[in-house]
Amino acid sequence: MVKPMVTVIIPSYNHARYLPARIESILSQTYTNYELIIIDDCSPDDSDEVIRRYAELPNITYIRNAVNSGTPFAAWEKGAFQAQGKYIWICESDDFAEKDFLSRGVAVLEADEQNVLFYCNSNVVDESGNVIGSTADYFSEVWKNDRWKEPFVADGSEEAREFQLMGQTVPNMSSALIRQGAFQQAYSKYLLRFKLTGDWLFIGYVMLHGRVVFTPEHLNNFRKHEVTSRVRVKSARSQAEFVLTKFALYQVLRSDGQNLLEVLSNDAIRFLYEDASAWQVLREMLRISFRKTCSLAVKMGVGLMTHREYLKHFLARRKIARGAD
């Protein structure tokens, strides 16, 4: 029996409405050498009923958790470490793909074993699947950089240091295909502590194992609606995860002369305009990792002793923010 070239994993939670489009877009791929693992995280809606309509089809494995795991990244672990494929595609359960996503991604990764991550642009669609935007806007408006307008191949470590350290460069996981070896080496139990930014941290780790390939083609569709995990996560938790994600990447990258205060400067300013208090953010950070939070506090304290200009800038911005209130 020929092993599947790709393991497709759908981590599913409470997206019964979108699952048919998600699954059908996988079944209709022009590239067909794949296995599909669907992991439902004890959804309270009709997800189980929907998934069972497909569960008897060839090459489909259905796993339903008896208890909710509390994080989408638990499904990644469960699926990836029983994967038979050479490549792994994490398919978020409310997204759907264009029919040639896999054929394009597999061709890129097969072309050179140093290529470990392929990703593309996505159409942003509404609840009904109507196109309302593009991740190309994210690259131009948030990153303010034209590099994503053209295809590129980049050294992963450089990509992580120059871009991923400051923010997620892969707008959503459904748009990425990853070499299995890099996936398994990059995966860490630490990801299970995150609800929002685990994918950002994970992609940063993947980049350390080889080259990154991007195409500006829209081969994926990313759904924007009011029940996504990003919408459900509260401000204090969101800020805590952002800070600890950047710190974790900073630790592994060890950039020459990279200033931790500079890396976290935007997050400090963001804090001034969020609803959460400093204590609430700190409490969430400690819940995620007591050790990393303490290590971060020490490094920031030392940094502020030698770079007092950051504290002066923060206090000046705080004065402006309070005046705006």
Side-chain angles (χ1 to χ4, degrees), residues 188-298:
S188 164
K189 290 283 188 182
Y190 186 51
L191 296 177
L192 298 177
R193 304 185 187 190
F194 293 84
K195 299 178 184 293
L196 179 64
T197 63
D199 54 348
W200 172 9
L201 178 58
F202 172 75
I203 288 294
Y205 288 162
V206 168
M207 288 177 174
L208 302 180
H209 298 284
R211 288 198 289 261
V212 176
V213 184
F214 171 76
T215 176
E217 295 178 86
H218 291 72
L219 303 176
N220 182 59
N221 297 277
F222 167 61
R223 201 180 300 270
K224 185 177 182 181
H225 54 89
E226 293 306 311
V227 292
T228 63
S229 59
R230 296 182 189 278
V231 171
R232 291 193 297 262
V233 174
K234 295 181 179 180
S235 175
R237 178 74 188 198
S238 173
Q239 291 181 75
E241 291 198 15
F242 267 65
V243 170
L244 287 177
T245 293
K246 285 188 174 182
F247 183 53
L249 289 173
Y250 174 85
Q251 286 183 305
V252 297
L253 289 169
R254 301 289 184 185
S255 303
D256 294 337
Q258 191 102 40
N259 189 328
L260 178 60
L261 297 177
E262 180 64 28
V263 169
L264 297 176
S265 59
N266 288 339
D267 300 279
I269 300 303
R270 174 192 172 198
F271 165 76
L272 297 175
Y273 297 92
E274 293 280 351
D275 294 332
S277 67
W279 166 243
Q280 288 172 323
V281 175
L282 177 60
R283 183 173 59 189
E284 291 297 328
M285 290 176 63
L286 290 168
R287 284 175 175 171
I288 295 170
S289 175
F290 180 86
R291 181 175 61 83
K292 285 189 178 293
T293 299
C294 291
S295 177
L296 171 61
V298 170

Side-chain angles (χ1 to χ4, degrees), residues 22 40 48 89 111 118 159 186 211 267 269 273 292 302:
R22 168 77 279 178
D40 184 71
D48 181 60
W89 181 21
F118 164 83
E159 187 77 2
R211 288 198 289 261
D267 300 279
I269 300 303
Y273 297 92
K292 285 189 178 293
V302 172

Side-chain angles (χ1 to χ4, degrees), residues 22 25 92 94-99 120-125 129-131 133 172 174-175 218-224:
R22 168 77 279 178
S25 76
E92 295 175 332
D94 50 346
D95 297 339
F96 58 98
E98 298 300 318
K99 63 181 181 180
C120 63
N121 260 322
S122 300
N123 295 311
V124 180
V125 301
N130 301 309
V131 177
N172 71 307
S174 298
S175 67
H218 291 72
L219 303 176
N220 182 59
N221 297 277
F222 167 61
R223 201 180 300 270
K224 185 177 182 181

